[in-house]
Amino acid sequence: MITSTTNPQPADFADVRATNLAVVLRFVREHAPCSRADIAASTGLNKATVSSLVADLIDRRLVRETGLTENRVGRPATMLVLDGSPYAAIGVEINVDYVTAVAVDLSGERLLSWRRSFPGATSTVSQAVAAVAALVRRVTGRMAKEERQVLGLTVGVPGLVGTDGTVLIAPNLGWRDADLAGDLAKALRDPGFAVQIDNDANLAALAEYRFGSQAGTANLVYLTGEIGVGAGIVMDGRLRRGGRGYSGEIGHIQLDPLGAECRCGRLGCLEAVAGIGAVLQHAALSPAEVEIELEEVVRLARADERRTLDLLTSVGHHLGKGVSVLANLLNPEVVILGGYYVPLAPWLLPAVAEEMRGRTIAPEAGGCRVVASTLGYDAAALGGAARVLDSVDSGRLPSVS
Ligand SMILES: [Zn+2]
């Protein structure tokens, strides 16, 4: 059965209006600066309707007139651009060794980006909730000072997240059945905006799709290069979550039946042999201070230290096997390596490419390119904010204040 949720069936007039507002808002996002006539010509809505919708969006301060005019044949037109200056979308990522918070305005402009070290592997859920709530309160405080209305918050977690925001299992955090959305909303004392939880790889894929160097690529996969390795899958321009929201757990495909034990309890999982923990362990460095230790690995690789080069080549081959599975199964246009893989990419990519040549059945790996992310360590948090903006784009508009 083929279904589409991109064209919701309007139930009544209010729904039709909300849907049309979202259509116009998306058009302005993609084509600004543009005129009312441009919108009418491209969307098929009549001019009177477009004028009324634009007036509504201006009232909500989602769109503004630039005063610029475009001199075509005929009358000059007032041009429209996204406004969004009174709004903010917040994204947070909880990971094994850090918590990150990002806020963007409606047009995606970065308002702040904070990163704090955090002992995720040894913290309880309630400690994490307290830490995230404290960080979010500081962000919302800053946004209030700038007189911005917070549109929503999405928190990314490295684990299986159900559609209701429950974290079923996050092996690298040691969490099971955590009602993170509920606990966080309680800790924030009914913040007046929606709190959503999502998988970190899903959010990073959304960030790449909206903001990254490969933005707009309809078929892309993001691989988190953290202690864990997860895939966020965008196919045909939509994030693919699967039946219960648990897709993308490529970190737990078995690459070596006799390989190292994974945090999930199984042997030789991709993330156990090619995650950043494996890199540091084999380099005899402590995975406790990942960022600092990683700099040392990069330094040794730059100095052509033999053992380090061999280690990265071996990790690259394991990673390449995993990426080949993705290429054979999903035929993505691009696989984006994120997180700690980014600084290591120059040494990982040749081995990844070699595995793909040998393991994909389609010629030229089905056209699949493998690149390093340019979004840095913020990707998942940025994707949290992107998910909030996505919900605005799909019609959940802020009310007029
Ligand atoms: Zn595993």
Side-chain angles (χ1 to χ4, degrees):
M1 187 176 71
I2 297 169
T3 59
S4 167
T5 53
T6 50
N7 299 307
Q9 296 301 306
D12 54 33
F13 179 76
D15 281 354
V16 174
R17 177 124 185 126
T19 303
N20 286 342
L21 283 168
V23 165
V24 172
L25 187 64
R26 276 201 303 272
F27 186 87
V28 175
R29 181 193 296 289
E30 285 161 16
H31 300 95
C34 59
S35 68
R36 288 169 177 80
D38 295 334
I39 298 169
S42 297
T43 60
L45 295 164
N46 72 50
K47 282 182 184 170
T49 305
V50 169
S51 287
S52 157
L53 293 167
V54 167
D56 196 338
L57 292 173
I58 289 174
D59 277 350
R60 294 169 196 253
R61 295 182 64 193
L62 293 166
V63 163
R64 65 185 169 83
E65 295 179 329
T66 61
L68 290 172
T69 57
E70 195 182 56
N71 286 307
R72 293 189 203 147
V73 183
R75 288 175 303 164
T78 307
M79 304 304 274
L80 302 165
V81 292
L82 280 187
D83 182 0
S85 54
Y87 298 105
I90 305 175
V92 165
E93 179 193 8
I94 307 174
N95 220 307
V96 179
D97 47 343
Y98 60 85
V99 176
T100 306
V102 165
V104 303
D105 73 7
L106 192 80
S107 64
E109 200 64 41
R110 197 87 65 100
L111 303 172
L112 64 83
S113 170
W114 292 342
R115 186 172 160 90
R116 305 272 182 275
S117 71
F118 174 71
T122 52
S123 296
T124 62
V125 175
S126 54
Q127 284 168 329
V129 166
V132 169
L135 188 60
V136 169
R137 274 194 291 271
R138 288 198 52 204
V139 177
T140 54
R142 171 75 73 91
M143 293 303 105
K145 227 179 257 173
E146 294 180 10
E147 297 183 347
R148 290 176 189 275
Q149 180 189 339
V150 174
L151 298 171
L153 162 69
T154 314
V155 179
V157 179
L160 300 183
V161 180
T163 41
D164 61 351
T166 304
V167 181
L168 184 73
I169 177 167
N172 292 306
L173 296 174
W175 297 0
R176 274 180 182 279
D177 298 317
D179 177 17
L180 196 57
D183 290 354
L184 200 51
K186 247 179 264 166
L188 291 169
R189 295 196 189 86
D190 187 20
F193 50 78
V195 177
Q196 296 175 299
I197 312 297
D198 208 330
N199 170 268
D200 60 346
N202 283 348
L203 293 182
L206 285 181
E208 291 290 347
Y209 187 63
R210 189 181 270 262
F211 302 119
S213 65
Q214 311 294 314
T217 304
N219 300 284
L220 70 82
V221 177
Y222 180 96
L223 275 185
T224 61
E226 308 291 338
I227 300 293
V229 179
I233 302 164
V234 172
M235 289 280 120
D236 303 323
R238 292 179 54 79
L239 187 66
R240 300 296 163 177
R241 300 171 178 283
R244 294 186 178 176
Y246 304 153
S247 69
E249 289 299 327
I250 191 155
H252 302 284
I253 60 166
Q254 191 181 51
L255 289 187
D256 180 0
L258 304 172
E261 188 176 353
C262 180
R263 285 293 296 263
C264 76
R266 296 166 186 85
L267 294 180
C269 291
L270 170 67
E271 70 179 47
V273 297
I276 228 60
V279 174
L280 297 183
Q281 220 164 19
H282 287 290
L285 296 166
S286 149
E289 294 280 348
V290 181
E291 248 168 276
I292 299 164
E293 305 289 18
L294 199 63
E295 278 174 26
E296 177 64 6
V297 174
V298 169
R299 191 188 66 75
L300 291 170
R302 281 206 183 113
D304 289 331
E305 198 268 331
R306 195 69 254 161
R307 274 192 52 217
T308 304
L309 294 181
D310 289 348
L311 168 64
L312 293 178
T313 301
S314 156
V315 166
H317 280 290
H318 286 310
L319 186 60
K321 287 175 191 166
V323 173
S324 300
V325 171
L326 291 171
N328 279 325
L329 194 65
L330 301 171
N331 187 210
E333 293 162 75
V334 63
V335 171
I336 302 163
L337 303 184
Y340 298 125
Y341 284 146
V342 174
L344 301 179
W347 298 279
L348 298 176
L349 286 175
V352 170
E354 198 184 319
E355 289 293 336
M356 289 185 63
R357 276 194 298 276
R359 290 177 186 277
T360 51
I361 183 98
E364 292 161 355
C368 177
R369 295 170 291 118
V370 184
V371 302
S373 173
T374 54
L375 294 179
Y377 294 120
D378 286 351
L382 196 56
R387 183 170 160 177
V388 174
L389 297 182
D390 282 351
S391 72
V392 174
D393 277 0
S394 63
R396 199 172 304 158
L397 302 185
S399 51
V400 188
S401 52

